[in-house]
Amino acid sequence: MLRWLIGGGREPQGLAEKSPLQTIGEEQTQNPYTELLVLKAHHDIVRFLVQLDEYRFASAGDDGIVVVWNAQTGEKLLELNGHSQKITALITFPSLEACEEKNQLILTTSADRTVILWDCDTGRQVRKVSCFQSTVKCLIVLQRLNVWLSGGNDLCVWNQKLDLLCKTSHLSDTGISALIEIPKNCVVAAVGKELIIFRLVAPTEESLEWNILEIKRLLDHQDNILSLVNVNDVSFVTGSHVGEMIIWDILDWTVQACECNFWDPSPQLDTQQEIKLCQKPNDISIHHFTWDEENVFAAVGRGLYVYNLHMKRVIACQKCAHDSNVLHIAKLPNRYTVPSVLQQMKETHISQHHQGFFNMWGFGRVNKQASQPVKKQQENAPPCSLELIGDLIGHSSSVEMFLYFEDHGLVTCSADHLIILWKNGERESGLRSLKLFQKLEENGDLYLAV
């Protein structure tokens, strides 16, 4: 069974019709995250988290500050100040070849039209670039070519020293919203409802300059592309504002499969009220994907969908996993998958009593005995199901993103300006007991007690 964990915000009681959202009681035997630490350092929405190593992570958001944390203890290690407006992208950066010390570096970009390279071991601002004509919305490092790219109204190629190597002409006022690397020295850029394939040309004996060439435009989407990710060595996938999911061949850029029926009613909905709630136009945007060897997991509106790459169809879904849009999902090594939710930004739905939460879902084959009475639905029903396993309630507003640490649990960031470390209660209790016994043994009290 594959497990999911979801985060977001519930609608206040009395402001909406009764929701088909599944609930779970206090007995959550399969939910390991029973302890939490609340971290306070930011003064605005925290949108980004990035893992630095086995025990550190960095956070950033609308206050323009980057904070480096210890994931084990929750200790604030560094605060990096350099941007004057909100941060729009945050990625890790390879160590500079010229430096003997291989310190952990990160790259941040902001609405102030600057990009800063930071040393996360010292807190030092290594380099800063401020020659942009528009806000950079996305960053990507191509380690094989020793360059990195910034996407805004144009696409720029830079070296490790933050020297501009080449750039495209003005692409769009809306700008590039996402970038991925594909084979043959190419990248895919999402620009509005178009995908643009670019090829990077490295210097040769004949030409000493870098160049970036537009190779092809893919116009299959009918609305703006919100998500773009690599799925495996042969495919990448895109999702749009109107619920179109397209799987592309990574080598020839042709369409391998397309799914556009996420909003159609399914057998899991029993009442007209539930169908109405799940067919709202703003409930079909595809904000994020994750994947494994066989499936693509899609965050579609307020729901979760499992799309099998071999069968080329949805094999499991939960259309109303939340009262608000799922923004971010991730599959964890312990077979949990984590989605985050962006709450509907309506004034009547925002209050101090909102609680950000996660839901944990189990994904597996449908129990045949349990499904036998519903004979009419067996032919069309998905072969797998999503089972609600647990809630994690802690944030007072929408959860924006999260990280997973194998030894230190989950990290979430939210519009409530907070970061929460979710700990495995059983593991933490065991560690505390071990430390106590070690201390007693050091003081000789353990043998005295025996």
Side-chain angles (χ1 to χ4, degrees), residues 274-376:
E274 291 174 343
I275 293 174
K276 179 181 177 182
L277 284 171
C278 291
Q279 284 184 300
K280 293 178 182 178
N282 59 356
D283 282 348
I284 60 174
S285 298
I286 304 177
H287 284 281
H288 202 243
F289 294 107
T290 190
W291 61 92
D292 62 14
E293 296 80 5
E294 298 179 354
N295 306 298
V296 173
F297 305 94
V300 185
R302 299 177 295 155
L304 304 172
Y305 291 75
V306 184
Y307 183 89
N308 186 274
L309 293 168
H310 303 297
M311 300 170 66
K312 295 186 177 180
R313 70 183 184 94
V314 174
I315 61 171
C317 66
Q318 183 58 240
K319 288 177 181 271
C320 295
H322 272 284
D323 281 328
S324 47
N325 286 347
V326 180
L327 177 65
H328 185 83
I329 57 176
K331 187 173 70 69
L332 304 184
N334 64 353
R335 296 186 69 76
Y336 283 96
T337 301
V338 186
S340 158
V341 173
L342 176 66
Q343 67 185 51
Q344 303 289 344
M345 299 308 290
K346 297 181 180 178
E347 292 183 7
T348 56
H349 288 177
I350 298 174
S351 74
Q352 294 180 347
H353 301 289
H354 257 190
Q355 290 188 326
F357 67 104
F358 284 95
N359 282 353
M360 196 176 300
W361 297 84
F363 166 54
R365 295 287 177 183
V366 172
N367 187 312
K368 292 184 179 180
Q369 292 181 351
S371 62
Q372 281 178 356
V374 195
K375 294 181 180 180
K376 294 182 179 180

Side-chain angles (χ1 to χ4, degrees), residues 9-120:
R10 292 185 185 273
E11 293 181 351
Q13 294 287 330
L15 294 180
E17 298 180 60
K18 184 179 178 181
S19 172
L21 185 74
Q22 287 191 26
T23 59
I24 190 169
E26 294 182 1
E27 293 296 327
Q28 302 180 20
T29 57
Q30 298 185 68
N31 180 0
Y33 302 108
T34 56
E35 295 185 12
L36 60 84
L37 292 173
V38 179
L39 312 183
K40 298 180 180 179
H42 290 279
H43 313 296
D44 210 328
I45 299 174
V46 189
R47 299 187 186 275
F48 304 103
L49 298 170
V50 65
Q51 184 171 344
L52 304 178
D53 50 37
E54 293 181 355
Y55 72 95
R56 291 184 304 166
F57 69 94
S59 61
D62 288 5
D63 57 7
I65 300 171
V66 180
V67 182
V68 179
W69 304 89
N70 183 307
Q72 180 180 12
T73 65
E75 178 188 1
K76 176 182 171 181
L77 302 176
L78 293 169
E79 183 174 305
L80 313 179
N81 292 277
H83 291 295
S84 60
Q85 296 185 42
K86 68 178 182 180
I87 290 173
T88 54
L90 166 68
I91 60 170
T92 57
F93 197 78
S95 299
L96 299 177
E97 295 179 351
C99 298
E100 294 183 3
E101 298 180 0
K102 299 302 180 181
N103 291 353
Q104 178 62 61
L105 305 177
I106 59 172
L107 201 61
T108 60
T109 182
S110 167
D112 62 11
R113 299 186 180 183
T114 64
V115 169
I116 300 178
L117 181 64
W118 304 92
D119 186 326
C120 289

